Amino acid sequence: MTTLDPTSTAVLVIDMQNDNLHPDGAFAATGAAQHAGEQNVVANVRAVLDAARATGAAVFHNRVVVHPGRDVGGSNAPIFTMLGPESLKLGSWGAAIIDGLDPREDEIVLDRTRMSAFNGSGLDSMLRNLAITDVVVVGVWTNMAVEHTARDAADHGYRVSVVSDATSSINADWQHAALSYALTNIATITDTASVTAALTTTSA
């Protein structure tokens, strides 16, 4: 891939939360934890973060959360009824970012109740205030929040890269479907080695 200027690039880390990919998480039975392991997604996301941090690229961590007390997430679509009431509950272990990917003090953590990281989070205005033109999307699940975020990013005018081996879904078939068809018209599908090289080359 082409080089990525760290002064105008942001890494969007999507939903790397215990419930979404840990073997003891709420959604492990869906296959999500197994596929995350097959993708080596935690280590690959960490490699992308290391490159971003070393070069000064902005990093935004995103979490989908369920608020206790009232079902403000809605039931208008099956994707939202999958969440809660205990899974991804705000303040719980399940909603927390998985060990090893802890945000640094200069990295923003945004919580939301929708699939796209841009929906209701203020992310777009923050990126524009930083003069960001390129976003690199990593995280889970590829066919849901990652894809929603990539599509919204493109609609907002950003150049989008989705890192194939730093994303995971519930199985390889869903991963392939998310990355191999319509999304190829939205984003550059790349890999961890290419992204880290692109950032490193630019800063050299």
Side-chain angles (χ1 to χ4, degrees):
M1 67 181 302
T2 59
T3 57
L4 292 167
D5 183 349
T7 66
S8 57
T9 298
V11 174
L12 309 183
V13 186
I14 309 299
D15 299 353
M16 292 294 289
Q17 298 159 261
N18 289 313
D19 271 346
N20 289 333
L21 73 158
H22 192 282
D24 295 326
F27 300 113
T30 67
Q34 179 177 337
H35 191 246
E38 292 169 357
Q39 289 285 97
N40 202 23
V41 71
V42 174
N44 288 334
V45 169
R46 187 183 303 117
V48 173
L49 284 178
D50 287 346
R53 290 163 174 170
T55 58
V59 174
F60 288 81
H61 300 263
N62 299 267
R63 304 189 307 171
V64 60
V65 297
V66 172
H67 292 269
R70 292 184 182 273
D71 184 16
V72 296
S75 58
N76 59 298
I79 199 170
F80 300 125
T81 60
M82 291 170 55
L83 310 181
E86 293 303 317
S87 63
L88 298 167
K89 183 177 179 181
L90 187 65
S92 71
W93 171 85
I97 293 171
I98 199 163
D99 286 346
L101 299 180
D102 306 277
R104 297 197 320 187
E105 289 185 0
D106 62 340
E107 296 170 355
I108 306 297
V109 180
L110 299 174
D111 289 341
R112 66 188 201 287
T113 60
R114 303 290 84 180
M115 282 295 107
S116 170
F118 285 87
N119 195 330
S121 69
L123 176 60
D124 182 49
S125 61
M126 296 181 192
L127 294 174
R128 294 189 188 282
N129 288 341
L130 293 174
I132 298 299
T133 59
D134 291 81
V135 295
V136 175
V137 185
V138 300
V140 301
W141 296 343
T142 316
N143 56 300
M144 295 187 187
V146 169
E147 184 171 352
H148 278 252
T149 298
R151 290 178 178 276
D152 267 4
D155 279 353
H156 280 79
Y158 300 99
R159 288 186 293 267
V160 186
S161 298
V162 175
V163 187
S164 62
D165 56 351
T167 55
S168 67
S169 184
I170 61 174
N171 58 49
D173 287 343
W174 283 49
Q175 178 82 357
H176 176 75
L179 294 178
S180 302
Y181 298 106
L183 202 57
T184 61
N185 293 313
I186 302 296
T188 297
I189 310 301
T190 185
D191 57 29
T192 297
S194 298
V195 168
T196 56
L199 282 167
T200 303
T201 300
T202 304
S203 63

